[in-house]
Amino acid sequence: MNLSLQVCSTSSKIVSMMELVIVFVLVTGLSVYFSVLDPDLHHDGFMLKTAMDVASGDTLFKDTFTQYGALTVWTQSAAISLFGTKLVVLRLFTAGCYGLIACIFFGIQKKVLPKLLAILSMAVLVSLAPFYVMPLLPWSSVYALLFLLLGIYSFLVGLKTKKLYLILISGAAFACCFWYRQPTGIVLVTTCLYFIVTYWDTGTPRVLTFKRFFAFSGGAVAVNILVVTLLIVAGSLGDWWKQSILGSYLWVNSFGDESLSFMNIMTHLVAPNLVWAGVGS
């Protein structure tokens, strides 16, 4: 009986792994196709130029400008240092990130939905990809989304298995979201609401809630301390504040109150998808 259960468990793990491989290959292949099309001289050039500066030894924020998080530029500079100083390297690297995003998203969906609905959800996600109607840009949002989903997956599995190290990884991943693209750091705050709710939930021991909270906070604090320390050592912390925080704040305000209107927010919450692309063409 035990042997039969072990065989079934092993077979199930193999099937799950094969499903993830298929998802990764399909989504990455699709992304790769679009990654070599339609270079955007402004946006692509902006991301490539900053990555090239850092890869050549310039100090981020101090010697070269970016309004996005430090991890975005550090990651991209590492990519072109390893694989060549070409725009296509950043594009292909981003395409691979789309494949990983799809894998993690599918893993999350399988934990909360029946498999058929998880597959349908994946199809919806792929149809909402922005690169059908605009260039596939090596943008900070892609990397932030990858770590956002990694954090969600680790958090859900950590809650289910009561493994605190997964909660710690979740906090670290959510902190990385902030350092890839600042607005996504809001997830650190919203996740803390979960701990507030469970603190008053009589079905969850408060000791366990405290352990989870400190594990989550520990991961987030560790990443933030590491990045801030690197910026202080480089002498660019003040420049980071001016470019990524103050600069972004002033840029948003330059659009006036209309940018915060309900209709404008709802319009930008939904990405252009394949159906709309077909209609638009």
Side-chain angles (χ1 to χ4, degrees):
M1 185 66 176
N2 289 334
L3 180 59
S4 177
L5 291 175
Q6 290 178 358
V7 171
C8 290
S9 177
T10 302
S11 299
S12 177
K13 290 179 179 179
I14 293 175
V15 170
S16 296
M17 185 62 66
M18 290 301 298
E19 289 173 347
L20 292 178
V21 170
I22 292 172
V23 168
F24 178 79
V25 170
L26 290 178
V27 175
T28 300
L30 178 66
S31 302
V32 166
Y33 170 78
F34 284 98
S35 70
V36 297
L37 303 176
D38 304 323
D40 182 323
L41 298 181
H42 173 69
H43 295 94
D44 278 323
F46 174 80
M47 303 303 284
L48 178 61
K49 195 269 182 185
T50 309
M52 289 173 60
D53 287 343
V54 174
S56 65
D58 286 351
T59 300
L60 181 60
F61 300 117
K62 188 177 182 180
D63 300 324
T64 188
F65 172 88
T66 183
Q67 72 264 45
Y68 299 119
L71 286 183
T72 295
V73 181
W74 289 341
T75 299
Q76 292 185 333
S77 65
I80 63 174
S81 295
L82 289 172
F83 303 109
T85 310
K86 296 181 180 179
L87 174 60
V88 70
V89 170
L90 294 185
R91 288 282 196 98
L92 292 174
F93 178 76
T94 304
C97 288
Y98 272 116
L100 293 175
I101 285 170
C103 288
I104 301 174
F105 180 83
F106 187 57
I108 293 172
Q109 296 306 303
K110 285 204 303 179
K111 290 190 174 300
V112 297
L113 294 173
K115 181 176 290 188
L116 184 60
L117 290 179
I119 294 174
L120 178 61
S121 180
M122 267 299 308
V124 172
L125 174 72
V126 173
S127 74
L128 291 173
F131 49 68
Y132 297 116
V133 293
M134 60 185 294
L136 190 153
L137 299 172
W139 217 239
S140 57
S141 307
V142 181
Y143 316 124
L145 178 58
L146 174 60
F147 278 86
L148 175 63
L149 291 175
L150 176 62
I152 292 172
Y153 183 83
S154 300
F155 194 79
L156 291 176
V157 176
L159 293 180
K160 183 177 180 180
T161 61
K162 297 183 179 180
K163 294 179 178 178
L164 294 179
Y165 76 89
L166 291 175
I167 303 296
L168 184 144
I169 291 174
S170 176
F174 287 159
C176 287
C177 287
F178 172 79
W179 290 105
Y180 274 108
R181 189 175 177 88
Q182 307 90 299
T184 58
I186 190 66
V187 71
L188 285 169
V189 178
T190 55
T191 305
C192 288
L193 296 176
Y194 166 82
F195 297 111
I196 295 174
V197 172
T198 55
Y199 177 82
W200 297 106
D201 179 16
T202 56
T204 305
R206 288 186 173 178
V207 173
L208 180 58
T209 298
F210 276 115
K211 287 181 178 179
R212 287 171 172 170
F213 173 75
F214 285 117
F216 180 82
S217 301
V221 169
V223 169
N224 287 322
I225 288 177
L226 176 60
V227 177
V228 169
T229 299
L230 291 173
L231 293 176
I232 291 175
V233 171
S236 58
L237 183 63
D239 298 299
W240 162 77
W241 176 263
K242 292 176 183 178
Q243 294 173 32
S244 290
I245 304 300
L246 183 59
S248 298
Y249 172 77
L250 295 175
W251 182 78
V252 170
N253 282 345
S254 69
F255 290 94
D257 295 336
E258 184 179 347
S259 62
L260 298 177
S261 67
F262 175 77
M263 287 304 299
N264 191 57
I265 292 174
M266 293 306 296
T267 299
H268 288 83
L269 277 177
V270 182
N273 63 28
L274 184 59
V275 176
W276 299 343
V279 173
S281 62

